[in-house]
Amino acid sequence: MRRLVETHTRRALEWQGNAGFRAFDNFRKQGCVEAKPKAGQGNGQDGAPYDCYYAATFVPQPGQPALTVNGKGRFRRTDKGLTFEDLGAQPR
């Protein structure tokens, strides 16, 4: 889970021109619930999707205070491994 979110975050920041991010300093899964399938989608052969909440902390620049972001993602186990869909930041 952490690896998927880190990879997604790194790619998003690189796309924005911020190539300094490598990994979170701290990552904590806060909980998961089974997600309802989207309209017109069955589960097929893939596993049921789960919406998971997490808190990720990183230091953006040396000498700057740590930043903690609360996020939500949809995870699904497929025959190719675990997939991740970013559902955005969530209010506290």
Side-chain angles (χ1 to χ4, degrees):
M1 179 178 187
R2 177 181 179 151
R3 182 181 52 81
L4 289 171
V5 177
E6 281 177 338
T7 299
H8 173 81
T9 302
R10 183 173 31 260
R11 288 179 181 161
L13 289 172
E14 286 172 354
W15 185 78
Q16 295 173 4
N18 300 323
F21 175 79
R22 291 291 162 239
F24 296 121
D25 295 308
N26 190 17
F27 185 88
R28 182 172 40 101
K29 179 172 85 171
Q30 296 174 318
C32 297
V33 296
E34 190 169 348
K36 295 179 183 173
K38 294 178 182 176
Q41 285 185 336
N43 283 343
Q45 293 182 344
D46 293 340
Y50 284 86
D51 289 349
C52 298
Y53 298 88
Y54 58 87
T57 303
F58 61 97
V59 178
Q61 296 292 327
Q64 297 294 317
L67 175 66
T68 299
V69 177
N70 292 317
K72 180 180 179 185
R74 180 159 294 157
F75 296 84
R76 179 189 297 265
R77 190 159 306 280
T78 69
D79 59 349
K80 295 180 182 180
L82 195 61
T83 63
F84 169 70
E85 176 186 353
D86 185 11
L87 299 178
Q90 299 297 308
R92 291 184 172 203

